[in-house]
Amino acid sequence: MSKTYYIETLGCAMNVRDSEHMIAELTLKEGYEEARSPEEADLILINTCSVREKPVHKLFSEIGQFAKRKKEGAKIGVCGCTASHLGEEIIRRAPYVDFVLGARNVSKITDVLHRPKAVEVDIDYDESTYAFGEFRTSLYKAYINISIGCDKQCSFCIVPHTRGEEISIPADLILQEARKAARSGAKEIFLLGQNVNNYGRRFSSEHPKMDFTDLLKAVSEIEEVERIRFTSPHPLHMDDAFLEEFARNPKICKSMHMPLQSGSSRILKAMKRGYTKEWFLDRAARLRETVPGVSISTDIIVAFPGESDEDFEETMEVVERVRFEQIFSFKYSPRPMTPAAEYEKQVPDEVGSQRLARLQGRHNEMLDEMKSDRLGRVYEVYFEELRPGGLVAGRTDNNWLVQAEGSEELLGRTVPVKIVETSRLGSRGVVVA
Ligand code: SAH
Ligand code: F3S
């Protein structure tokens, strides 16, 4: 009987891809199969996120739960950003953890598996040319890493300390992976990195000059690729050439993530984001001008140290002006090793909660207005997932979630769908072809 794994993945899309990479290593090299539950598994992996404090706090009670539920002799491994950040401390605080594997060391999974109490958390380790085997959670969408690490030093962010310096993955490896995925039916390619439009800044070996715009062009030249998405770009690197390619290239999906973080230039400076409110508004306006119907999503942090009521009003003003389709909003969370955690004038928690509630409340109102515009219209939807109740789910080009009645035969196909019902969580549609 083969051994089985159970994996829990928290955090961002890069963690999702890291989990896929670990599964590929485990299945191809060690013959593992997926377990139906943690109780049955021979190996339990928790792929962690450390961007905010709360999930880190919860981690230890979660490990405790798994330790109780696991079967005799099963191993527990803690991976990802919290593994990088806490290292050995995890085993000290939770002695039933068998190994700790950092976010930049996932290729070593089959090695740590056999070394009791192994801790591999080197953030200088270069995995940019490691040839991971094939494993994809979805048959219809392929996540592909284009870089590892992040060179920005946003003053609130722990990621550069858990994922290390930025290294771009050689373009031929990316293109080879995209070709293979698209030929096997994943017509949507999702390019991943902490700062994707900084692609080409540094390779670990000699590489022809290439930036993100060139890479997008090259991926779109693969015939079988129908859709290209990417996350996360940085507003600072949204130059005209990039926006023009985004607008012009029909394979690039017309939804853009523009992480604002704050609408106050003063706070942006303290965050070390490298752009101002005006630059952000200019880029968003340019995008709306050149790409009719584009949807823009964002990340916003409220109550960054020193954020005054006036600063917060500036964030609200940008929200009014840009009309984001989706906002991932967070209360500032002080993180170890980050300069902002040492700043004076930390904002009281209640003030943060009030600001967050106001931002989310206003955004929901705006969303209701935007959603009603969609009713009765027809959009091209790429279906990628079966849902209970005889439904299939997919996304429009500009990233709205749509569900419709249907079955497997719609999966992996792009078809016209008329929207008959909308809610904040997504839309219901009817296939019209
Ligand atoms: N480059 C990545 C950033 C990863 S962190 C990206 O753009 O997706 C994802 C988001 O978490 C950030 O954009 C930011 O809005 C939020 N975040 C990061 N550090 C935070 C902190 N200390 N407190 C609150 N939110 C934070
Ligand atoms: Fe974090 Fe800023 Fe990089 S938010 S991941 S340091 S771009």
Side-chain angles (χ1 to χ4, degrees):
M1 267 235 329
S2 38
K3 283 189 251 155
T4 59
Y5 68 85
Y6 178 88
I7 185 160
E8 180 176 86
T9 306
L10 308 162
C12 65
M14 297 211 71
N15 262 15
V16 173
R17 186 62 183 142
D18 289 343
S19 286
E20 291 182 343
H21 279 158
M22 288 191 282
I23 295 170
E25 291 294 298
L26 289 168
T27 49
L28 300 174
K29 294 197 177 144
E30 302 270 338
Y32 271 79
E33 285 175 12
E34 190 179 5
R36 274 171 301 192
S37 68
E39 284 82 1
E40 282 179 18
D42 299 292
L43 171 65
I44 296 174
L45 294 175
I46 313 172
N47 195 1
T48 59
C49 171
S50 61
V51 160
R52 281 164 293 275
E53 192 178 12
K54 223 187 226 158
V56 178
H57 270 317
K58 284 206 307 220
L59 174 66
F60 287 95
S61 64
E62 217 180 347
I63 302 173
Q65 288 297 323
F66 278 129
K68 273 196 213 125
R69 290 167 70 186
K70 79 180 178 101
K71 69 179 184 191
E72 181 84 28
K75 289 180 181 164
I76 298 182
V78 176
C79 322
C81 281
T82 307
S84 311
H85 149 215
L86 293 179
E88 276 166 36
E89 190 185 328
I90 294 178
I91 295 184
R92 241 181 289 130
R93 283 174 64 182
Y96 27 77
V97 168
D98 292 282
F99 60 85
V100 176
L101 187 65
R104 207 180 162 119
N105 301 261
V106 291
S107 63
K108 299 178 192 162
I109 177 75
T110 55
D111 167 39
V112 291
L113 191 60
H114 301 292
R115 281 170 38 215
K117 306 294 170 195
V119 176
E120 286 286 348
V121 293
D122 178 6
I123 64 161
D124 294 323
Y125 190 63
D126 180 6
E127 283 189 325
S128 68
T129 55
Y130 188 84
F132 286 99
E134 277 285 300
F135 178 86
R136 305 201 172 277
T137 320
S138 167
L139 293 175
Y140 308 104
K141 172 161 72 185
Y143 284 119
I144 299 181
N145 285 349
I146 67 163
S147 57
I148 58 177
C150 182
D151 266 1
K152 293 269 179 279
Q153 295 282 335
C154 301
S155 62
F156 52 80
C157 186
I158 196 172
V159 172
H161 305 278
T162 63
R163 291 187 175 269
E165 75 170 7
E166 192 170 315
I167 304 180
S168 301
I169 292 172
D172 54 347
L173 293 182
I174 297 169
L175 294 171
Q176 195 181 317
E177 213 180 327
R179 228 173 270 126
K180 208 158 148 194
R183 283 182 189 157
S184 67
K187 293 173 194 144
E188 181 171 312
I189 299 294
F190 209 127
L191 304 175
L192 295 178
Q194 296 298 338
N195 185 4
V196 283
N197 50 345
N198 201 27
Y199 181 79
R201 176 187 160 89
R202 181 191 303 115
F203 294 95
S204 60
S205 55
E206 192 127 326
H207 192 282
K209 197 169 153 37
M210 189 163 203
D211 66 12
F212 187 56
T213 307
D214 301 328
L215 181 69
L216 285 173
K217 282 186 198 154
V219 175
S220 73
E221 278 160 16
I222 301 172
E223 203 185 319
E224 293 84 352
V225 170
E226 287 181 11
R227 286 186 166 191
I228 304 170
R229 297 187 192 278
F230 50 84
T231 205
S232 268
H234 194 295
L236 177 66
H237 303 297
M238 293 189 177
D239 56 27
D240 287 347
F242 167 64
L243 292 186
E244 273 156 30
E245 181 60 21
F246 181 83
R248 180 205 68 78
N249 193 324
K251 290 191 181 177
I252 302 178
C253 289
K254 301 305 181 252
S255 78
M256 183 78 89
H257 190 58
M258 289 183 74
L260 169 67
Q261 313 301 359
S262 168
S264 152
S265 294
R266 198 177 70 85
I267 295 295
L268 287 169
K269 193 162 183 214
M271 288 176 161
K272 300 205 164 44
R273 291 289 290 175
Y275 55 87
T276 58
K277 174 189 185 183
E278 290 68 33
W279 167 260
F280 188 93
L281 285 171
D282 173 77
R283 295 292 89 187
R286 182 79 199 255
L287 190 59
R288 292 247 183 254
E289 227 170 76
T290 48
V291 191
V294 66
S295 77
I296 307 182
S297 58
T298 197
D299 292 349
I300 293 177
I301 298 176
V302 301
F304 182 82
E307 184 186 75
S308 64
D309 287 340
E310 292 74 32
D311 292 316
F312 176 64
E313 291 310 325
E314 294 207 57
T315 300
M316 292 299 286
E317 187 200 328
V318 175
V319 168
E320 292 297 332
R321 287 173 65 177
V322 178
R323 298 182 71 78
F324 298 104
E325 292 273 343
Q326 204 176 10
I327 302 184
F328 300 93
S329 48
F330 316 98
K331 211 188 316 179
Y332 168 73
S333 168
R335 307 304 297 120
M337 301 177 280
T338 62
E342 310 297 321
Y343 290 172
E344 284 171 17
K345 300 207 203 131
Q346 300 283 330
V347 176
D349 195 54
E350 325 78 78
V351 176
S353 302
Q354 283 161 10
R355 288 181 186 163
L356 194 62
R358 207 179 121 208
L359 170 66
Q360 290 173 345
R362 179 61 192 129
H363 181 242
N364 281 336
E365 286 171 12
M366 294 172 81
L367 217 51
D368 290 341
E369 292 162 24
M370 291 186 243
K371 290 261 154 88
S372 57
D373 281 354
R374 296 177 196 169
L375 269 182
R377 296 204 188 174
V378 174
Y379 297 93
E380 293 289 315
V381 174
Y382 178 68
F383 285 107
E384 50 191 271
E385 202 185 328
L386 287 178
R387 291 279 169 93
L391 297 174
V392 276
R395 290 189 179 265
T396 61
D397 180 85
N398 59 0
N399 209 24
W400 301 330
L401 181 67
V402 178
Q403 298 199 65
E405 268 176 37
S407 56
E408 279 96 349
E409 52 116 25
L410 281 174
L411 295 177
R413 284 176 53 205
T414 306
V415 290
V417 175
K418 183 173 176 178
I419 305 298
V420 294
E421 201 185 305
T422 59
S423 79
R424 279 178 201 154
L425 296 176
S427 302
R428 264 303 272 271
V430 177
V431 174
V432 291

